Amino acid sequence: MSSRPIIVGYDGSVGARAAARWALDEGARTAQPVRLAYAFDWVTGGAWIQPAPAVWPDEVARRDVQTLVDAAVADAAKTHPGVEVSGVVLDGPAVVRLQEHSRHAAALVLGSRGHGGFGALLVGSTAVSLAAHAHCPVVVVRGRPPAPDQAPRHIVVGVDGSPCAQLALGYAFEQAADRHVPLHVVRAWAPPAAQWRPADFDPAKITAAERSALAQALVPWQEKYPDV
C-alpha cells in the first residue's frame, strides 16, 4: 500500500463525519495515514445572507475552524488509535484546494453532502467536480456503514469502454484483491428508439457483442489479478 495519505474533505457536517469514519476504517485496514482537510473560504457577494468579515481572513472564524478540525483529529485518535491522523486548514475554495492536494493523496474521501447546497440532491457540487477532476481515486460516502464484523460481500464497477472506465476497473480490481471479495463488472447498453431501429435489429446479437467486448476488456486485469 502507498504511504500517501487518505485525504478527507471535512467541514463538520454529517456527511463529512461519515466520510471521516470510512477513511479511518480504510486507514486502519491499509496502514495509511488519514488527513482531515477543511477548506477555509469566505462567500463573496452575498453579504445579505452572511455578513463578510471586517478583515480577511477572519481570525476568530479561523480559530473556530481550527478548533473543529483539532477536535475531529482528537476524536479519531480515540476511535482509531492505530491510525496516524492529522488535520489541516486550507485557504481557498474547497474544490480548488482539494484538487491540488489530491496530487499527493492515495484517495480523496468526501461526504455526499456538506453544509452548503440542497440536501435533497444526490451528490453535492463539490463531490461531483472533484470526482471529475481529482488526481487520485475519489470516494463519496453514502448510506449506512456496515457493521464492524460485516465485511463487504462484493464490489461493483460500471464500465463503458472509455479510458475512465479503465481507471475504474483498475481501482476495483485492486480493491477486490486487497479485500478478498468478488468483483461484479457491469456494462449496460440501451436499444435505440423504435423509430430508429434498422430492419435487421437483433438485441441478442448486440448483447453478445457487448458481452464479448466486456470479456476482452477484462482479460489483462484478470491476468494481473488472477485471484479475483
Side-chain angles (χ1 to χ4, degrees), residues 4-27 30 32-38 94 98-99 101-102 105-114 123 126-128 130-131 134-142 171 175 179:
R4 292 185 172 190
I6 301 170
I7 295 180
V8 182
Y10 190 82
D11 63 1
S13 64
V14 173
R17 293 197 298 270
R21 286 193 298 270
W22 190 95
L24 290 166
D25 289 343
E26 184 72 359
T30 62
Q32 289 172 304
V34 174
R35 181 176 302 154
L36 307 182
Y38 190 115
L98 290 176
Q99 182 179 336
H101 280 252
S102 72
L108 180 60
V109 185
L110 308 167
S112 59
R113 298 297 308 173
V123 181
T126 298
V128 169
L130 286 168
H135 304 282
C136 67
V138 176
V139 177
V140 180
V141 178
R142 287 182 55 83
Y171 182 76
Q175 290 290 310
R179 296 172 184 271

Side-chain angles (χ1 to χ4, degrees), residues 75-131:
D75 289 342
K78 295 176 182 177
T79 61
H80 296 75
V83 180
E84 178 186 340
V85 187
S86 61
V88 62
V89 178
L90 308 173
D91 288 316
V95 171
V96 174
R97 297 313 312 277
L98 290 176
Q99 182 179 336
E100 292 172 353
H101 280 252
S102 72
R103 292 182 180 275
H104 309 291
L108 180 60
V109 185
L110 308 167
S112 59
R113 298 297 308 173
H115 278 310
F118 300 90
L121 297 180
L122 290 178
V123 181
S125 59
T126 298
V128 169
S129 181
L130 286 168

